[in-house]
Amino acid sequence: MEPEAKYTLVGAAVLTLLALIVAAAVWLKGSGGEGDDRPYKIYFARQSLEGLQIRSDVKMQGIKVGSVTAFRISARRPGSVEVVIRVDGSAPIRQSTRAAVERQLLTGIASIRLANIDENSPPLTEVPQDEPYPLIAEGESEYKLTESVSQVALRADETMQRINLALSDENQVALSEILVNLRQISGGMSRSMAGLDKTLAALGHAADEVRGMSAVIRDDAHKLAQRYDALGEESTTAVREVSAAVRQISVDVAQLSGRMDALISDGNVELRVTAQELRSTADALGAAARRLGDPGRALFGPAKGSMGPGEASR
Amino acid sequence: MKPFVPAVLVSGLLLAVGGCASLGPQEAQRYYVLEAPNVMQKAAATPRAATLLVAPATVSGFYETQDIVYSRAPGMRAYYQLHTWTERPGRRLSELLVMRLERAGSFSTVATVVSGVKGQLVLGTHLAEFYHDAAAAPGSVRVTVTAELTDPVRRVLLARRSFERSAPAATYDAPGAVQAFNVAVTALLDEIAAWVEVAAPR
């Protein structure tokens, strides 16, 4: 049987389609490619890059201005990580620009935040010798609360060990009650910190109150750490003095814990509502997924052997 | 060639309709509400000034589902296929517990932990067992809950106790089991409320 297809028409259609595909590819390459982007390099030595990925966002004042294009452990600066980013040409990258790693505490996804210390400083264009791109300096991460408290806890533990070694058995008995109380309060602080992480994640970075309170807590933690150090140095003094110092530490920790509790309860309404909505949604999704998880069951019903007592076999 | 087009369209339509239809018999799925019928109980003579917060119940993994669980042999569990709860038993148990404690009137306020209300006592529960023991007809249901009363201010455990209840199923099937679950849960909630009344400091 002679086919009815017209070869000319088919050929023309195929060629037209190919031309369209090539045009689309060129257009996409032009719009999504490097264009006016400018590369910069950052050496991170003090901040963890956990959660950072190729194509992670680079943000400035909350707006995405670029993305991460490469990173690797630095051979030039041991202990550092080299991160190459491409930033939109219109973004005001200046000599005073500092880079910090921002991390969604809930998801762990990281991005790089650029901030200008001085908006009047000259644009960053100079490429250092032996470097392919201009260097943006590393800044300070705003979210070191957990680390601070971990350090405090570590120092507290060390201090307690030193006290135990230095003091006699009788003195240890006299102190044990106070130390137990201190540990309990410190435990409360750790739990509060876990809640604080969630609250910060839920509220986002725009909450100025959270930032302000975070700074206060940081200061308290620092003060607390200093006091622990002092206690460690004075571990040979009389029990009475040590007890007084430990009590003062307890007060500090309790104050710190109370502040964090207040912070969490202040911002908790949004978190609670969000958590409840998430839970309901997750439940509904889970139920739907269970029903659809087994296509065989959806089509043919439950297997004969899986029927419960009194359930009719299909 | 033209008659071919309608044939394709009709076939596609039939396939689509056929794909939407289940091939199995249409036996309806049945949903049950876990209930604890109101039992008239005398309210506490002098309610405490404290606020009691009830934490959402934690649940052993296998029971964290809307499916009703049964057991045909010791150490084995399975789900009813055509009968389910309207809500997960753990969540429903927390709701019923709050209602039960409110009715008891032992505290000025009873609220859930997620309500944002500040409280002096927290009652946490863990649902460890919740199944229809169907080893022999008609079987019975078993419910085991561990309750903990804590002081969140001082962060100390005030009391802990495990509650276990069993109730015979009226019939050897899911509806019979559900009735027995209602009976067992009602008795268990009464028992927890009485325990809290004793364990909570005045």
Side-chain angles (χ1 to χ4, degrees), chain A residues 68 70 73 83 118 133 143 168 198 226 228 234 236 251 285:
Chain A
V68 174
I73 305 289
V83 177
D118 178 8
Y133 312 119
Y143 297 94
S168 67
K198 289 176 187 168
Q226 286 177 333
Y228 273 120
E234 296 163 4
T236 53
V251 170
L285 279 175

Side-chain angles (χ1 to χ4, degrees), chain A residues 157-273:
Chain A
D157 197 38
E158 286 173 4
T159 306
M160 284 175 189
Q161 284 179 14
R162 273 182 277 173
I163 290 170
N164 281 338
L165 284 172
L167 297 180
S168 67
D169 289 346
E170 292 127 8
N171 291 345
Q172 283 186 30
V173 171
L175 267 177
S176 62
E177 191 181 342
I178 301 167
L179 294 178
V180 165
N181 289 338
L182 176 62
R183 281 201 176 111
Q184 283 174 351
I185 298 168
S186 300
M189 184 169 68
S190 301
R191 282 192 288 278
S192 299
M193 262 304 171
L196 179 66
D197 281 353
K198 289 176 187 168
T199 308
L200 285 171
L203 293 177
H205 300 158
D208 290 333
E209 278 184 32
V210 175
R211 279 187 182 162
M213 192 64 88
S214 299
V216 174
I217 291 172
R218 256 203 314 271
D219 291 341
D220 281 355
H222 182 60
K223 196 168 68 182
L224 192 63
Q226 286 177 333
R227 211 165 252 145
Y228 273 120
D229 283 345
L231 181 61
E233 288 165 9
E234 296 163 4
S235 59
T236 53
T237 55
V239 172
R240 190 186 299 171
E241 291 171 23
V242 175
S243 299
V246 172
R247 279 195 202 97
Q248 184 56 47
I249 289 168
S250 299
V251 170
D252 287 346
V253 177
Q255 188 182 7
L256 189 60
S257 182
R259 277 185 180 162
M260 284 186 287
D261 282 343
L263 173 63
I264 289 164
S265 60
D266 282 348
N268 224 357
V269 176
E270 189 183 349
L271 177 62
R272 276 200 308 274
V273 172

Side-chain angles (χ1 to χ4, degrees), chain A residues 272 279 283 297 299 306 311, chain B residues 22 24 81-83 91 114:
Chain A
R272 276 200 308 274
R279 187 174 168 178
D283 282 352
R297 179 184 165 163
L299 281 172
S306 67
E311 288 185 321
Chain B
S22 168
Q81 298 296 313
L82 306 173
H83 302 80
R91 181 184 284 198
V114 293

Side-chain angles (χ1 to χ4, degrees), chain A residues 20-174:
Chain A
L20 283 172
I21 290 170
V22 170
V26 170
W27 177 67
L28 285 172
K29 179 75 177 168
S31 63
E34 296 175 356
D36 195 25
D37 288 355
R38 287 176 304 191
Y40 296 93
K41 195 171 182 183
I42 309 161
Y43 284 95
F44 283 106
R46 298 187 299 274
Q47 298 174 53
S48 166
L49 298 188
E50 189 180 346
L52 196 74
Q53 298 170 339
I54 302 292
R55 285 196 289 276
S56 283
D57 288 352
V58 175
K59 294 178 180 175
M60 205 167 199
Q61 295 181 327
I63 299 166
K64 182 182 175 183
V65 294
S67 58
V68 174
T69 56
F71 55 80
R72 64 174 182 180
I73 305 289
S74 178
R76 296 181 186 183
R77 298 187 189 181
S80 299
V81 177
E82 298 175 10
V83 177
V84 178
I85 60 173
R86 295 198 75 88
V87 177
D88 188 273
S90 61
I93 305 298
R94 304 185 183 282
Q95 290 178 7
S96 68
T97 300
R98 296 288 179 271
V101 177
E102 235 177 18
R103 191 171 293 108
Q104 293 289 330
L105 294 173
L106 207 60
T107 60
I109 296 171
S111 59
I112 290 177
R113 178 175 50 82
L114 302 177
N116 290 335
I117 308 294
D118 178 8
E119 292 293 349
N120 296 319
S121 65
L124 179 64
T125 52
E126 188 186 346
V127 179
Q129 206 173 10
D130 299 333
E131 292 287 357
Y133 312 119
L135 287 186
I136 297 177
E138 181 183 8
E140 290 293 329
S141 174
E142 287 184 16
Y143 297 94
K144 286 190 168 178
L145 285 175
T146 310
E147 287 173 25
S148 300
V149 171
S150 300
Q151 285 169 5
V152 168
L154 194 65
R155 289 182 191 195
D157 197 38
E158 286 173 4
T159 306
M160 284 175 189
Q161 284 179 14
R162 273 182 277 173
I163 290 170
N164 281 338
L165 284 172
L167 297 180
S168 67
D169 289 346
E170 292 127 8
N171 291 345
Q172 283 186 30
V173 171

Side-chain angles (χ1 to χ4, degrees), chain B residues 3-139:
Chain B
F4 180 69
V5 176
V8 168
L9 285 175
V10 169
S11 303
L13 193 64
L14 285 173
L15 278 173
V17 172
C20 292
S22 168
L23 300 180
Q26 298 301 304
E27 187 168 338
Q29 190 83 20
R30 291 191 171 81
Y31 296 90
Y32 299 89
V33 181
L34 179 64
E35 290 174 315
N38 286 342
V39 178
M40 290 303 290
Q41 187 173 348
K42 191 175 68 177
T46 50
R48 293 170 175 78
T51 294
L52 175 68
L53 301 180
V54 178
T58 56
V59 182
S60 296
F62 196 75
Y63 304 109
E64 184 66 306
T65 168
Q66 279 177 249
D67 296 326
I68 301 173
V69 179
Y70 70 90
S71 167
R72 277 203 166 106
M76 292 180 68
R77 302 286 185 274
Y79 297 121
Y80 278 98
Q81 298 296 313
L82 306 173
H83 302 80
T84 53
W85 298 111
T86 54
E87 263 188 293
R88 297 180 184 204
R91 181 184 284 198
R92 181 65 179 152
L93 195 75
S94 298
E95 290 175 2
L96 292 171
L97 186 57
V98 171
M99 286 192 271
R100 180 66 191 77
L101 290 165
E102 270 182 337
R103 277 206 313 275
S106 300
F107 299 89
S108 65
T109 309
V110 178
T112 59
V113 166
V114 293
S115 66
V117 174
K118 201 167 187 175
Q120 291 75 44
L121 294 166
V122 173
L123 176 63
T125 50
H126 175 74
L127 184 59
E129 294 286 5
F130 199 80
Y131 68 96
H132 176 200
D133 184 354

